[in-house]
Amino acid sequence: EAQVTQNPRYLITVTGKKLTVTCSQNMNHEYMSWYRQDPGLGLRQIYYSMNVEVTDKGDVPEGYKVSRKEKRNFPLILESPSPNQTSLYFCASSSGMGANVLTFGAGSRLTVL
Amino acid sequence: KQEVTQIPAALSVPEGENLVLNCSFTDSAIYNLQWFRQDPGKGLTSLLLIQSSQREQTSGRLNASLDKSSGRSTLYIAASQPGDSATYLCAVSPSTYNTDKLIFGTGTRLQVFP
């Protein structure tokens, strides 16, 4: 089954403790991206990657890092999480530029205390 | 800066009603517009994608229209069913470079009761 898999789905952590949210897709998609969803603000793009070793900032990249060493994986790294990073995170992928439908993961709900 | 607004924020209707969800965007220079459905714990599902050169798209009981010049899109749901209960999100692709980047509205939460 074609899918985007995120882990963990739920996480409660404390300020400053580094964490990684993994994202993996099995569709050989070139494009991958991360969004966060907050009440009243909708989904906002954090980072995106157009291909292996090619990443760029989205609209809200502060406090996050990403890497794209393999085509299928696009982990989101929070080096020193803060409470304002408490959010619902989505990973998405598509086959490339233009007229493409994004496939979203099920989401990862992160709480930073 | 592109902004996407959805009205109403929430809607509750009896089963069988036809309904319209509204989406507006501030910058008409879009690449495409999509409507998504969001179910709790299940991520987002793309319902319809309209290219900037198109006026509408249809899938089953769903019809989405796009008026780029006025910055508006509507999602029409015919003969609503309880299974249609979800949050519906409108999103635009704002550029020709990062065309898979989406700017989302905050959604319309729909409840269809039997």
Side-chain angles (χ1 to χ4, degrees):
Chain A
E1 179 189 355
Q3 60 185 358
V4 176
T5 303
Q6 299 179 223
N7 282 296
R9 294 287 314 280
Y10 303 92
L11 179 64
I12 300 175
T13 189
V14 296
T15 299
K17 185 176 181 182
K18 180 180 178 179
L19 67 92
T20 299
V21 186
T22 64
C23 174
S24 180
Q25 49 91 6
N26 62 1
M27 297 163 281
N28 200 36
H29 281 171
E30 292 187 348
Y31 185 97
M32 298 185 74
S33 61
W34 278 102
Y35 288 82
R36 61 177 289 174
Q37 185 177 32
D38 302 291
L41 296 175
L43 281 88
R44 295 173 291 169
Q45 191 182 56
I46 303 170
Y47 269 95
Y48 66 96
S49 169
M50 293 192 182
N51 215 324
V52 176
E53 303 291 359
V54 180
T55 64
D56 207 347
K57 297 177 181 179
D59 294 324
V60 287
E62 297 78 18
Y64 304 95
K65 288 176 58 177
V66 294
S67 67
R68 188 90 181 274
K69 297 177 181 175
E70 304 169 280
K71 198 171 189 178
R72 64 183 293 125
N73 296 323
F74 191 45
L76 180 69
I77 304 160
L78 287 72
E79 293 272 2
S80 182
S82 62
N84 64 12
Q85 292 178 297
T86 293
S87 188
L88 179 59
Y89 291 87
F90 289 100
C91 180
S93 73
S94 75
S95 58
M97 300 296 288
N100 288 300
V101 176
L102 287 168
T103 301
F104 280 81
S108 296
R109 184 167 293 281
L110 171 66
T111 301
V112 183
L113 301 176
Chain B
K1 179 185 174 185
Q2 177 75 268
E3 293 183 359
V4 180
T5 303
Q6 292 186 245
I7 295 173
L11 187 61
S12 183
V13 300
E15 181 177 7
E17 278 207 2
N18 302 324
L19 54 97
V20 174
L21 308 183
N22 296 293
C23 172
S24 62
F25 46 95
T26 55
D27 186 346
S28 62
I30 62 171
Y31 190 72
N32 58 45
L33 181 145
Q34 291 188 60
W35 283 92
F36 290 86
R37 170 184 172 138
Q38 183 176 15
D39 295 281
K42 293 186 179 180
L44 281 70
T45 302
S46 181
L47 299 173
L48 291 164
L49 182 151
I50 311 176
Q51 298 296 334
S52 61
S53 58
Q54 298 175 322
R55 297 284 292 181
E56 65 177 345
Q57 284 285 344
T58 298
S59 176
R61 295 182 293 108
L62 305 180
N63 176 274
S65 67
L66 173 63
D67 184 344
K68 203 172 74 163
S69 61
S70 67
R72 293 181 182 179
S73 177
T74 61
L75 178 66
Y76 175 81
I77 303 177
S80 58
Q81 304 170 357
D84 294 331
S85 298
T87 297
Y88 290 81
L89 300 171
C90 169
V92 300
S93 179
S95 73
T96 57
Y97 175 65
N98 184 8
T99 53
D100 284 339
K101 172 184 176 178
L102 297 175
I103 306 292
F104 283 84
T106 53
T108 294
R109 188 169 65 252
L110 172 65
Q111 181 181 16
V112 181
F113 54 90

